[in-house]
Amino acid sequence: MTFASLGLIEPLLRTLDSLDYKTPTAVQAQAIVPILQGRDLMAAAQTGTGKTAGFALPVLQRLMMEGPEVASNSVRALVLVPTRELAEQVLQSFVTYGQHLPLRSFAAYGGVSINPQMMKLRKGVDVLVATPGRLLDLYRQKAVKFNQVQTLVLDEADRMLDLGFASELEDVFRVLPKKRQTLLFSATFSDVIRSMASEMLNDPLSIEVSPRNAAAKSVKQWLIPVDKKRKGELFLHLYQTKRWSQALVFVKTRKGVDELEAELQRHGISADAIHGDKPQATRQRALQRFKDGEVKVLVATDVAARGLDIDTMPLVVNFDLPTVAEDYVHRIGRTGRAGSTGQAVSLVCADEVQLLSAIETLTQQVLQRVDEPDFIPDHRVPQTLPGGQVVKKPKKAKKPKVVGGGKSGSLGRWMETDEPAAPVVKAVRKVPSFGGVAGKPGKFTK
Ligand code: AMP
């Protein structure tokens, strides 16, 4: 299948050619034609599947082919996203894919001054990518009108609900034109999302492009047991001995992020950090420097776990396990994207065994354990079993060995020789009940 056979117009085909996109991904193959035809869509697709182009290309084409010119303070296609990072990334996709089209795109999100955004909206924009909280602020200040909206895209709808945007979304839906196209993308389809979809969508086409954790399938995953206080030391040891080229490292707290960043810099490693306390411009710069390869280690809280598309990111390190098991899937989804393979290693201490067990239950796999000889923990991490059980009385550690999956050897050998089984995620995350929750914008999106 080619992009031309999907009916895309020449300026878009030219751009795709220059980007070297040769064939449509599964989500693009299924979504582009119905979107061009004006149908509503309910799509189960994660980042990494090419979903952004899956909606951006046909939305841009429809903006070119249909509807009046954009009026002042108006918007023709509205894309709602959960975080400012994703807003920037989705905007970038629209700008890239629309480079040969005379259309204006813009992103509006919280955490930065609203005035420049109000100025920018004065002339009107064809595509507005926005986080729900800031969009409502702009609407209430009469900086944006919705009467020209012909297409609404909800990107990562599950994440928006998780971040407490339920009531903001309801408020936005209430003021949008009833006659419009609606495209809903979500990694998971809980009952709440389904009921939202049944209210929002008109005879939608449902597509599911791949299992929910498709991104994780190309990711080798393992864990290294370690005492909590030695995690920093272990990370440095691994970084140096395994000659990691680049790593995205997830740490639980903002304080922890700053501490690890400082520790790495003390050892001459070019490290930067992103978390919710940092100004937006600083976060964007850190991400850009990481993407450009100037920064070798990017340390982040879960604000960076979703949506970020970093080409050829080879390695994700879970310095701390996430407290919400599903964030594990999203974290490791930052690597192994668009067909490449990646690695994800978790440094796990005894305190985290319940978190580990929750992750293993969710992903229906027992993570491969690889002991690092000089870092065998004094507080042994209890063995976990399939089905989320934790073996309560562990034996004392004797000598380095590999457990879980019955494989043996050092980390280096294991990485060369073995592929852990791909996890299959089936559990459904709990989300607030749509419409019944007085949600607040998440702290990262304000
Ligand atoms: P997304 O799932 O939208 O975040 O996209 C994941 C990555 O796949 C991005 O880096 C895109 O540039 C890339 N991509 C999207 N569609 C294609 C395609 N048809 N061929 C090659 N790469 C693609």
Side-chain angles (χ1 to χ4, degrees):
M1 184 185 286
T2 62
F3 282 107
S5 71
L6 298 175
L8 291 175
I9 53 179
E10 191 278 333
L12 293 173
L13 294 176
R14 201 165 6 126
T15 301
L16 292 170
D17 197 40
S18 67
L19 292 171
D20 208 24
Y21 287 12
K22 294 203 164 56
T23 45
T25 65
V27 66
Q28 292 159 4
Q30 292 183 61
I32 288 175
V33 171
I35 297 177
L36 286 174
Q37 290 167 344
R39 279 201 70 172
D40 282 7
L41 193 76
M42 184 163 139
Q46 290 195 340
T47 48
T49 55
K51 74 175 158 73
T52 318
F55 62 76
L57 292 167
V59 165
L60 285 165
Q61 179 155 333
R62 289 199 68 215
L63 290 171
M64 278 304 293
M65 312 299 274
E66 292 164 48
E69 275 201 11
V70 68
S72 54
N73 291 104
S74 295
V75 175
R76 298 176 62 213
L78 181 60
V79 184
L80 293 179
V81 295
T83 66
R84 35 185 149 165
E85 275 80 11
L86 189 59
E88 277 296 340
Q89 192 174 296
V90 170
L91 171 68
Q92 200 47 54
S93 296
F94 272 97
V95 170
T96 303
Y97 300 138
Q99 60 189 270
H100 298 301
L101 302 174
L103 297 170
R104 281 197 298 275
S105 300
F106 182 61
Y109 41 80
V112 293
S113 168
I114 197 167
N115 288 339
Q117 298 179 349
M118 294 172 77
M119 301 267 289
K120 185 80 191 185
L121 286 166
R122 255 182 219 165
K123 273 187 6 192
V125 293
D126 295 285
V127 178
L128 178 63
V129 185
T131 52
R134 177 53 60 95
L135 182 71
L136 278 177
D137 286 349
L138 288 163
Y139 176 75
R140 286 175 186 140
Q141 299 198 38
K142 302 206 176 350
V144 62
K145 293 184 279 192
F146 296 133
N147 51 322
Q148 278 197 327
V149 171
Q150 66 181 52
T151 301
L152 168 70
V153 182
L154 301 167
D155 194 12
E156 302 204 355
D158 50 350
R159 184 63 167 167
M160 279 196 269
L161 294 185
D162 273 4
L163 287 173
F165 279 132
S167 71
E168 276 82 0
L169 285 176
E170 270 194 303
D171 288 350
V172 173
F173 297 158
R174 217 171 285 133
V175 291
L176 289 178
K178 296 280 163 286
K179 190 170 168 308
R180 55 151 206 267
Q181 179 180 38
T182 307
L183 313 172
L184 187 147
F185 287 80
S186 193
T188 54
F189 274 87
S190 61
D191 291 346
V192 182
I193 299 272
R194 281 180 201 285
S195 91
M196 184 169 102
S198 71
E199 280 175 41
M200 300 295 307
L201 306 181
N202 177 21
D203 184 25
L205 180 76
S206 285
I207 60 174
E208 181 161 8
V209 293
S210 51
R212 273 191 35 212
N213 65 335
K217 283 203 162 159
S218 52
V219 180
K220 291 180 188 175
Q221 302 161 58
W222 74 101
L223 70 83
I224 304 177
V226 62
D227 280 332
K228 197 181 198 164
K229 59 180 187 301
R230 296 195 68 198
K231 282 189 177 187
E233 208 187 321
L234 173 60
F235 180 83
L236 274 166
H237 168 79
L238 293 168
Y239 182 81
Q240 281 153 359
T241 56
K242 308 294 174 204
R243 300 216 183 94
W244 286 341
S245 56
Q246 265 203 316
L248 177 60
V249 185
F250 287 102
V251 176
K252 195 165 52 188
T253 63
R254 298 168 191 195
K255 186 164 165 275
V257 166
D258 290 337
E259 283 171 2
L260 181 62
E261 181 197 14
E263 176 76 8
L264 294 174
Q265 286 172 349
R266 258 199 304 282
H267 283 80
I269 296 170
S270 77
D272 211 330
I274 52 176
H275 59 57
D277 279 347
K278 301 220 173 211
Q280 180 60 19
T282 313
R283 287 156 61 174
Q284 281 301 130
R285 197 168 53 240
L287 184 63
Q288 196 54 51
R289 290 180 64 217
F290 185 65
K291 284 184 176 184
D292 294 344
E294 277 172 53
V295 164
K296 299 295 176 209
V297 181
L298 185 64
V299 192
T301 53
D302 276 298
V303 71
R306 292 226 187 191
L308 301 183
D309 177 31
I310 304 170
D311 283 345
T312 66
M313 235 289 302
L315 176 72
V316 165
V317 179
N318 292 308
F319 190 88
D320 297 314
L321 288 182
T323 40
V324 177
E326 203 165 66
D327 280 341
Y328 175 84
V329 178
H330 292 287
R331 286 180 179 188
I332 70 167
R334 298 311 96 215
T335 183
R337 292 158 72 68
S340 62
T341 54
Q343 298 179 350
V345 57
S346 302
L347 314 188
V348 179
C349 67
D351 288 0
E352 294 174 305
V353 70
Q354 296 300 343
L355 303 178
L356 173 64
S357 163
I359 289 164
E360 292 179 337
T361 304
L362 177 73
T363 58
Q364 297 191 354
Q365 62 171 350
V366 174
L367 273 181
Q368 184 103 27
R369 290 185 181 212
V370 180
D371 283 337
E372 193 58 32
D374 294 332
F375 291 86
I376 307 298
D378 293 336
H379 301 282
R380 199 179 164 90
V381 181
Q383 183 62 54
T384 48
L385 295 172
Q389 292 173 55
V390 174
V391 179
K392 288 265 161 55
K393 285 187 184 159
K395 283 187 214 140
K396 255 197 136 216
K398 281 183 199 139
K399 58 178 179 184
K401 63 175 183 176
V402 178
V403 287
K407 293 173 176 155
S408 63
S410 69
L411 172 60
R413 262 174 49 211
W414 174 78
M415 282 169 62
E416 280 158 26
T417 55
D418 295 323
E419 290 258 341
V424 181
V425 176
K426 284 208 183 123
V428 174
R429 172 186 14 191
K430 289 196 187 89
V431 289
S433 85
F434 184 71
V437 174
K440 283 196 196 121
K443 53 191 174 241
F444 302 133
T445 48
K446 253 255 150 187

